Amino acid sequence: MLQKECFLKLLLLVVSLVVAASGADKFSRQDFPPGFVFGAGTSAYQVEGAANEDGRTPSIMDTWAHSDSVITSGANGDIACDQYHKYKEDVQLMAEMGLDAYRFSISWSRLIPNGRGPVNPKGLQYYNNLINELVSDGIEPHVTLHHFDLPQALEDEYGGWISQNIVKDFVEYADVCYRMFGDRVKYWTTFNEANIFSMAGYDLGFLPPTRCSSPFGYFNCTRGDSSLEPYLAAHNILLSHASATRLYRKKYQNIQKGYVGLNLLSFHSVPATNKTEDVIAAQRTNDFFMGWFVEPLVHGDYPEVMKKNAGSRLPSFTALESQRVKGSFDFFGVNFYIATYVKDNSEGLNIEPRDYKADMAVEWQFTQGNASSTNRLLPSFEIPLTPWGLQGVLELFKQNYGNPPVFIHENGQRTQRNTTLEDWPRIQCLQEHISVLLDTVRNGSNVKGYFTWSLLDVFELLDGFRSGYGLYYVDLDDPELRRYPKLSAKWYSRFLKGGGITPDGGIELSSNWSSLSSAQVMK
Ligand code: IFM
């Protein structure tokens, strides 16, 4: 009897050791809490096309893409993936794949061509159609109101985000969206990457509206002020966000039962060395990058280090503004692609004039010890995977900002855009980040969902059509712009439909990526 008991105990021990040893990377979507959302995303200008159709007018994205921008190398989003005409087909792909949700943005200048005033019936019809199609297929729409695409009319009229006039116009636009679509849309994000938009659009000048001043900026801008405008634009974005959230809460939330949030990009920053000044520099970078928007929303004011380093160039909130900005969110959207290593550069604080980046007073790089990648926009093509950075940014939200609900709105892998459909680097990216996400959920992070960027190979911000992040390849040489699933679409679909990540084939993904065949993914 005793022998049998000992044997059973031993057997149990062996089984649990084997499970523990082999199961480190094992997971399926059932391991996530009920209601955890998995989706994919795009944005209006990058996917819709039909830029000049049915009453749409240009946005600052159109102007930027049509300028002789070095970045997009002559490409633009006039046609993009033509989702404007092919939305039914795309929703079908999403449904077949098993997506819970689709993250897309509304083109403000399609819905309200002059930025303010009359609503364009054709624009309204398009978004109603898209939303209805999604809802009828059981796909939850997650809608962004501004994805770098302010109507050009408002940029021309009063300078867009650098003028406080924008607050009223943005709130009226949001009001139209809530009123027209809020019976079906429950997740509203006011701004995509508010921090990158402010920095890249107004300090470094490589994204719309390409404003910067010499000697700052990656290109020669014809207008702007890199010392002042990034802070000004961010401030008006925060006031616009707070007012649009307030409006939703007062007028719609009780009836529509939805949520409003703000999206930021995180380059989760860690010290490049263990020197104290680099450790402080990493904290400072997170304050400048994330705290710039998160601190006002959580605590009602900018981080102390920003006030100190930017001085009077950083606008201040009145008591009433601070009160209204504080708490004006139901969730945060976080985009995460890569972590950065930073080194202190406080000496730069002695130099005048300074831009936003110099106020941050760091040098940053994507690969530890690789000086050649310092301060580049992005590594060439494939992004080195740093899934631990995703864990880091979620820990930051948990520890510093009260653990608010967070959606990972973007995460994905960039590959050269070509007909190679066996996109192993993308599968590896999905697997590693989703696995880390599960760990963070188990560690108590309040993360509610994960969207991969992007559903299709869209018009990309940093290089037009030379790279793609899509689960689907879009053949631009085909007048029909046919979509082709990459292996990652099949992998994601298997995962979404409950397929486990097992070590013996199926959608198992080991460290030896290249040895896995597509048959293993598909079986
Ligand atoms: O394509 C962009 C998207 O518009 C914003 N986040 C980063 C993506 C990849 O560069």
Side-chain angles (χ1 to χ4, degrees), residues 46 147-148 192-193 335 337 410 453 460-461 469:
Q46 295 178 271
H147 195 115
F148 301 166
N192 175 69
E193 294 180 0
N335 297 355
Y337 291 90
E410 288 184 23
W453 182 268
E460 264 309 327
L461 292 191
Y469 291 74

